[in-house]
Amino acid sequence: VLEATKDGDTKVVAAAVGRRRPRCLTLEVDLKEWTVRYGHAEHPSDQRSDQRSDQRNDQRNDQRSGQRSGQWASQHCGTLDGAPAVLLLRTRDLFSLPFPLHRPILTSLPLQASLRGWRLLLLPDSFPLAPRLPPSPPQQWKSQRLAEDRRRALLQLFGLKLEVLPDGQRRWHGCDKDTPRCFGTVRAQTPQYLLAGRWTPPCCLRALRATARHVLAQLEAAGVRHWLEGGSLLGAVRSGDIIPWDYDVDVGLYRDDVPKCPWLAAVAATGRAVEDPQGFLWEKATEGEFFRVHFSRANRLHVDLWPFYSRPPGVMTKDTWLGHGQDVEFPESFLVPLGSVGFVGVLAKAPNDPRAFLELKFGRGAIESPEYPNPQVRRL
């Protein structure tokens, strides 16, 4: 079959084992975003239909008629849904992969093949399934647990933190509230993953979004005047979200309003970290006169809260400067009145002229010209 295939991208063929035919899925591996996405592959008989619902109905009808007649059309797939199958490929192609025999094979091989642009051809043929006694409940549980452990270890090996399933559900394999974040100390504004050519792991972005929404809600409820700062405002204006390679969220607030927030007031009064009922950890930063809210005690993804105050003649300043290029004073008129902008799924407070504010801090064209935090270390 491989020799007869005219398509040079078809390096693997597959056939069902038993009566159940595997479902053909599309597969996209995005290493930069630590993500693998699965989708429903189009059945050959469905190509004339423009509506996805009609495609799914036709595919089910074709499958039923195929089961009755014992005949199927070949399909090009990214991967299969996990039903028993036999995979066939040339030895030289198999052992050109970095992890040729890593289990589970039906997950491992398509992931590696996708990165090389290979496709899988699902044949109409099937192999008989050898009869065997059904497993006992303990054996079935043990087998499922082993398969899950192997799959989790495989995705960790490949550096994949998120699976997006065909129905849109998400399966996470990265950090959470009970684990440390996925990267270590940030040096020269450049996390290690940027040096490896990747962006912020999606589990870390998920934790940052949750922390940002929580902090913004707490400040709003307490009547604290606040606004998005720096790269967080830049991401909000560009896409309504955190910049895909950012590693924290920055929020400015009026220093005089710190006592209004009970968590900030407790930290300022005692100097000790305070954990709120939702498990977020509020503390004073060790680097200077500002505050930091972590996703949890274990996971130190955080929002930085910068207390500003006004000095004559109406200029906003603060007591701690970390030497970042965009860390500059600005006219208080940007905050009177405050505006708003969409950010991580909520409406966040922002300077009333975000473009002028950002161009004051980052330079002209900053919104349209994305850059990594420190281009001298790593360029986009």
Side-chain angles (χ1 to χ4, degrees), residues 177-192:
K177 267 197 180 284
D178 298 322
T179 68
R181 68 186 188 186
C182 296
F183 57 95
T185 302
V186 177
R187 303 184 185 280
Q189 303 178 61
T190 307
Q192 186 62 36

Side-chain angles (χ1 to χ4, degrees), residues 214-215 218-219 253 255 257-277 280-294 297 300 303-305 307:
H214 179 72
V215 170
Q218 293 293 313
L219 296 178
L253 52 84
R255 187 177 67 179
D257 289 356
V258 166
K260 295 180 179 180
C261 176
W263 313 113
L264 292 178
V267 171
T270 66
R272 295 192 297 270
V274 176
E275 186 174 0
D276 67 26
F280 295 91
L281 190 70
W282 302 65
E283 69 174 10
K284 185 178 180 300
T286 58
E287 299 95 326
E289 296 302 315
F290 62 101
F291 300 93
R292 187 162 278 167
V293 186
H294 300 278
R297 285 188 181 273
R300 293 308 179 103
V303 173
D304 284 335
L305 298 173

Side-chain angles (χ1 to χ4, degrees), residues 12-253:
V12 186
V13 296
V17 176
R19 294 185 177 182
R20 180 187 167 194
R21 179 175 169 85
R23 283 190 308 159
C24 187
L25 301 175
T26 61
L27 172 65
E28 177 193 354
V29 180
D30 190 334
L31 289 180
K32 182 173 284 186
E33 295 187 3
W34 313 70
T35 300
V36 55
R37 298 179 177 88
Y38 302 97
H40 294 291
E42 187 180 77
H43 194 276
S45 64
D46 298 334
Q47 294 176 355
R48 290 171 296 181
S49 174
D50 295 328
Q51 300 297 325
R52 291 186 178 180
S53 60
D54 292 341
Q55 289 175 353
R56 287 193 291 269
N57 291 333
D58 291 344
Q59 183 172 353
R60 285 194 289 268
N61 292 334
D62 290 343
Q63 288 175 345
R64 293 191 190 103
S65 61
Q67 288 171 335
R68 288 193 295 269
S69 65
Q71 296 179 352
W72 297 86
S74 297
Q75 283 182 273
H76 278 104
C77 313
T79 188
L80 305 177
D81 70 346
V86 170
L87 300 183
L88 304 171
L89 69 161
R90 298 179 183 89
T91 303
R92 67 173 181 268
D93 290 333
L94 174 64
F95 287 99
S96 72
L97 300 174
F99 305 99
L101 301 177
H102 210 88
R103 292 189 291 177
I105 294 293
L106 279 175
T107 301
S108 171
L109 198 149
L111 287 174
Q112 297 175 80
S114 174
L115 291 170
R116 298 195 171 200
W118 297 357
R119 294 195 295 172
L120 182 153
L121 182 66
L122 179 59
L123 301 177
D125 311 272
S126 63
F127 290 87
L129 182 63
R132 57 183 177 181
L133 293 173
S136 65
Q139 289 173 331
Q140 190 173 12
W141 177 86
K142 185 176 180 180
S143 177
Q144 290 175 346
R145 185 67 178 268
L146 179 60
E148 290 172 3
D149 290 345
R150 283 175 174 167
R151 185 183 186 89
R152 189 161 41 249
L154 175 72
L155 293 174
Q156 183 177 3
L157 176 68
F158 288 175
L160 295 170
K161 308 286 189 183
L162 172 62
E163 291 179 287
V164 181
L165 305 181
D167 61 1
Q169 293 188 48
R170 299 188 166 205
R171 193 154 52 198
W172 296 90
H173 303 280
C175 64
D176 56 32
K177 267 197 180 284
D178 298 322
T179 68
R181 68 186 188 186
C182 296
F183 57 95
T185 302
V186 177
R187 303 184 185 280
Q189 303 178 61
T190 307
Q192 186 62 36
Y193 55 78
L194 284 186
L195 298 177
R198 292 185 157 197
W199 289 353
T200 309
C203 49
C204 297
L205 288 173
R206 179 178 64 159
L208 282 174
R209 293 184 187 108
T211 309
R213 286 192 292 266
H214 179 72
V215 170
L216 294 174
Q218 293 293 313
L219 296 178
E220 183 69 19
V224 175
R225 293 168 291 174
H226 63 280
W227 61 93
L228 292 179
E229 266 287 341
S232 300
L233 179 62
L234 199 55
V237 172
R238 283 179 185 160
S239 64
D241 200 358
I242 298 168
I243 294 175
W245 51 84
D246 210 350
Y247 49 86
D248 63 7
V249 171
D250 291 306
V251 175
L253 52 84

